[in-house]
Amino acid sequence: MPHVIVKLWSGKSEQQKQKLAEALTRAVMSSLGYGEESISVSLEEVPAADWTEKVYKPDILDGSGKLYKRPGYNPL
């Protein structure tokens, strides 16, 4: 705990995905105070053609209660 799930377009290299997982782990440790041993990160690749139906509609439009950052510019 916690488990971070990232959905992204297909096509990133294993090196890029590993770098992202490491950066997210550091961010969770810094922001929430958990140790590295408590954090897991999962990357779910979604083809660009499926993005709207599989991610945008269910997770962004309909998932507003869980969404903390919307796409685009979001002034604080």
Side-chain angles (χ1 to χ4, degrees):
M1 168 5 221
H3 177 64
V4 178
I5 301 170
V6 176
K7 296 180 182 184
L8 67 158
W9 281 1
S10 304
K12 297 300 181 189
S13 71
E14 287 302 313
Q15 183 180 16
Q16 288 172 309
K17 292 185 281 187
Q18 186 62 42
K19 188 175 179 179
L20 175 60
E22 290 167 3
L24 289 168
T25 299
R26 287 191 304 273
V28 170
M29 290 170 61
S30 173
S31 299
L32 300 179
Y34 289 101
E36 185 173 6
E37 71 282 354
S38 300
I39 301 164
S40 56
V41 177
S42 174
L43 302 181
E44 183 179 327
E45 292 186 273
V46 178
D50 297 336
W51 189 261
T52 298
E53 288 303 316
K54 292 187 175 182
V55 179
Y56 189 76
K57 286 181 180 178
D59 296 343
I60 297 170
L61 289 182
D62 299 337
S64 61
K66 299 181 212 173
L67 189 65
Y68 281 81
K69 164 62 175 84
R70 292 192 172 283
Y73 178 68
N74 292 285
L76 297 176

